[in-house]
């Protein structure tokens, strides 16, 4: 939990610290408890709480007895005090959610991403989806603080531009942030999909999870994000987590980067489909197969594995073992004690991965450390869209370090 500061110019930061402390408490906090939790003077806490009550961000939720003295009033976050929209752009499907201040999904939409991933068509689809989401929810638009979009990377964080993502063919320097701000009328931020997923774990699950973890994202592509002490690492360009060219199988197929056996060609749904076709488990797809066709074939292989097809099961287990090699290296580098899996294509793999990956990590121990705990996200397949909305909340309401920077 962040600590506040009594310097006079830090009112905004202190307000976010107090709001965050209340939000992360399962039962709510009294003013006296807040003083002890955030390290601010009682009068400072009282003044900030009054502002939060007046703005509708916090409510008084009954009295609690603290022994001697009069009962104390419990403060809780008013879930309807603020909302944010999150969109996950995946080459196969586009998912949008409306999140309240406590991280609850109020409304949800999902559509197939336009075939070919044409930027103009995709932008139109997202705009229509967001409009439908807000209209259908009945939420006061003035309470919606912004729109977060989680997209395959790489991105230019400063300009809000999607550069040349390998899984969005035809996208070259697409000004996603400015285009959607214009079409939706909302403030927009963009983030890499895997970083958004990790942000969801920090924001929504923070009260019940370790603050330092590795999030492994399994979608059309595979990526990872690292959270240390409750903050997601973004890197200097906002593109941390590009693990597609870590080698998992030195005898594997050639990769576009010039190496062999990279994550991008050994662990993704597309690579699993390619290998399954080579084994005769499914029909071979043409090189220009649509993402929806890849998805259908991928799901068919996973169903075969779950239904007891030994060849399909061995293939999924081999993919899990390759993924575990990459994860083992990353957990050793970042010294985290938990690995969380999620993403739009995680669910059909989850049973076999949760059996194979912990065993593989235990077989590759780091001296002086226990193998990391391996689990699935508790936020389901919408974790990335939820995370995009959480990033909006965090940008506007979270106790971020940059709020401490003073203008010269």
């Amino acid at each position: 939990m962040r600590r506040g500061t009594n310097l006079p110019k830090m009112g905004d930061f202190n307000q976010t610290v107090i709001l965050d402390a209340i939000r992360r408490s399962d039962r709510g906090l009294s003013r006296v408890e807040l003083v002890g939790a955030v390290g601010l003077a009682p009068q400072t806490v009282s003044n900030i709480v009054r502002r939060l009550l007046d703005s509708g961000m916090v409510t008084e939720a009954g009295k609690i007895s603290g022994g001697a003295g009069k009962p104390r009033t419990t403060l809780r976050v008013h879930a309807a005090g603020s909302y944010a929209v999150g969109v996950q752009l995946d080459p196969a499907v586009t998912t949008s959610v409306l999140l309240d201040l406590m991280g609850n999904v109020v409304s949800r939409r999902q559509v197939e991403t336009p075939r070919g991933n044409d930027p103009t068509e995709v932008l139109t689809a997202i705009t229509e989806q967001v409009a439908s989401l807000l209209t259908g929810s009945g939420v006061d638009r003035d309470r919606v603080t912004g729109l977060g979009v989680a997209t395959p990377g790489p991105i230019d964080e400063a300009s809000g531009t999607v550069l040349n993502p390998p899984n969005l063919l035809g996208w070259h320097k697409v000004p996603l942030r400015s285009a959607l701000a214009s079409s939706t009328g909302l403030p927009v931020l963009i983030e890499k999909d895997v970083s958004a997923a990790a942000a969801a774990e920090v924001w929504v699950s923070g009260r019940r999870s370790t603050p330092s973890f590795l999030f492994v994202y399994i979608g059309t592509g595979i990526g990872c994000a690292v959270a240390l002490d409750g903050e997601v690492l973004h890197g200097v360009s906002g593109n941390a987590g590009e693990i597609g060219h870590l080698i998992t199988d030195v005898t594997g197929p050639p990769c576009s980067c010039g190496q062999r056996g990279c994550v991008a060609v050994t662990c993704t749904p597309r690579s699993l489909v390619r290998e399954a076709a080579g084994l005769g488990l499914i029909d071979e797809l043409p090189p220009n197969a649509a993402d929806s066709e890849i998805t259908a074939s991928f799901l068919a292989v996973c169903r075969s594995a779950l239904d007891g097809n030994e060849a399909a099961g061995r293939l999924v287990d081999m993919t899990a073992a390759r993924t575990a090699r990459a994860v083992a290296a990353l957990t050793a580098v970042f010294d985290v004690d938990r690995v969380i899996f999620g993403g739009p294509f995680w669910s059909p793999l989850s049973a076999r991965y949760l059996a194979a990956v912990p065993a593989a990590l235990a077989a590759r121990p780091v001296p002086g450390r226990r193998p990391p705990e391996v689990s699935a996200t508790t936020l389901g397949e919408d974790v990335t869209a939820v995370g995009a909305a959480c990033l909006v909340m965090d940008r506007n309401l979270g106790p971020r370090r940059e709020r401490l920077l003073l203008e010269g």
Side-chain angles (χ1 to χ4, degrees):
M1 181 182 295
R2 296 272 180 230
R3 300 281 288 181
T5 173
N6 286 295
L7 293 174
K9 293 187 178 181
M10 297 302 177
D12 287 345
F13 179 76
N14 288 338
Q15 181 165 308
T16 63
V17 166
I18 287 177
L19 181 63
D20 191 62
I22 298 170
R23 187 181 65 82
R24 291 182 181 276
S25 172
D26 287 324
R27 61 177 182 81
L29 295 172
S30 69
R31 290 167 176 80
V32 172
E33 289 170 318
L34 277 170
V35 169
V38 303
L40 291 169
Q43 188 59 51
T44 300
V45 169
S46 181
N47 291 340
I48 291 174
V49 166
R50 174 47 54 194
R51 290 201 298 271
L52 290 171
L53 288 167
D54 290 343
S55 68
M57 306 289 281
V58 167
T59 62
E60 294 183 336
K63 304 282 187 179
I64 55 172
S65 175
K70 64 180 182 179
R72 298 168 180 167
T73 301
T74 299
L75 300 164
R76 290 182 181 163
V77 164
H78 181 213
S82 185
Y83 297 87
V85 178
V87 172
Q88 179 196 4
L89 169 58
D90 183 88
V93 294
T94 301
T95 305
S96 63
V97 297
L98 179 66
L99 219 65
D100 69 20
L101 188 51
M102 285 302 292
N104 303 307
V105 176
V106 176
S107 186
R108 175 185 187 270
R109 298 286 189 279
Q110 187 174 71
V111 298
E112 187 174 305
T113 303
R115 184 183 175 93
N117 298 314
D118 177 79
T120 301
E121 293 183 14
V122 170
L123 288 166
T124 298
I126 292 175
T127 301
E128 293 174 350
Q129 201 174 11
V130 170
S132 173
L133 190 77
L134 294 177
T135 301
S137 70
V139 165
D140 182 357
R141 191 180 176 95
D142 289 340
R143 289 281 183 182
V144 180
T145 57
L147 164 65
V149 183
T151 175
I155 63 174
D156 182 331
E157 192 174 40
S159 66
T161 301
V162 179
L163 299 177
N164 294 291
N167 292 315
L168 283 174
L169 298 180
W171 283 55
H172 176 67
K173 295 185 178 180
V174 176
L176 187 62
R177 185 172 67 202
S178 60
L180 287 176
S182 176
S183 64
T184 66
L186 293 170
V188 177
L189 65 82
I190 68 167
E191 181 62 273
K192 280 186 56 183
D193 42 22
V194 65
S195 297
E201 291 291 332
V202 171
W203 183 271
V204 178
S205 304
R207 288 171 291 183
R208 55 182 181 275
S209 69
T210 176
S212 299
F213 59 86
L214 185 74
F215 191 101
V216 181
Y217 173 90
I218 299 182
T220 300
I222 292 183
C224 84
V226 179
L228 297 177
D229 194 25
E231 289 199 8
V232 180
L233 302 185
H234 292 85
V236 295
S237 69
N239 288 292
E242 293 288 343
I243 64 169
H245 299 298
L246 288 181
I247 297 174
T248 64
D249 181 358
V250 294
T251 64
C255 181
S256 61
C257 71
Q259 302 181 113
R260 301 186 70 92
C262 295
V263 166
V265 292
T266 61
C267 302
T268 63
R270 185 177 289 271
S271 64
L272 186 145
V273 166
R274 184 195 64 245
E275 292 189 70
L279 294 171
L281 296 173
I282 56 173
D283 293 333
E284 187 170 351
L285 295 176
N288 61 345
D291 289 297
S292 58
E293 295 175 282
I294 297 291
T295 299
S297 295
F298 167 73
L299 294 175
V301 175
C302 292
R303 280 195 299 270
S304 293
L306 290 172
D307 291 341
N309 183 299
E310 292 185 4
R314 285 194 298 271
L315 177 57
V316 174
D317 288 343
M318 183 168 62
T319 304
R322 293 167 177 163
T323 303
R325 291 184 197 124
V327 169
L330 293 164
T331 56
V333 169
F334 291 106
D335 194 24
V336 295
D337 56 9
R338 189 177 181 201
V339 178
I340 304 173
F341 279 89
F345 295 141
W346 161 247
S347 180
L349 297 171
S350 59
R352 298 190 86 95
Y353 270 52
L354 290 177
V357 173
L361 294 181
R364 300 165 62 91
V366 175
R369 289 183 47 208
R370 294 181 301 172
E373 175 190 347
V374 179
S375 64
T377 178
T378 61
L379 300 175
E381 67 177 18
D382 293 340
V383 58
T384 310
V386 168
C390 289
L391 285 163
V392 175
M393 294 284 196
D394 186 60
R395 182 69 55 87
N396 289 287
L397 304 171
R400 298 163 60 87
R401 285 192 177 101
E402 55 262 37
R403 295 187 193 279
L404 291 170
L405 297 177
L406 300 180
E407 296 181 1

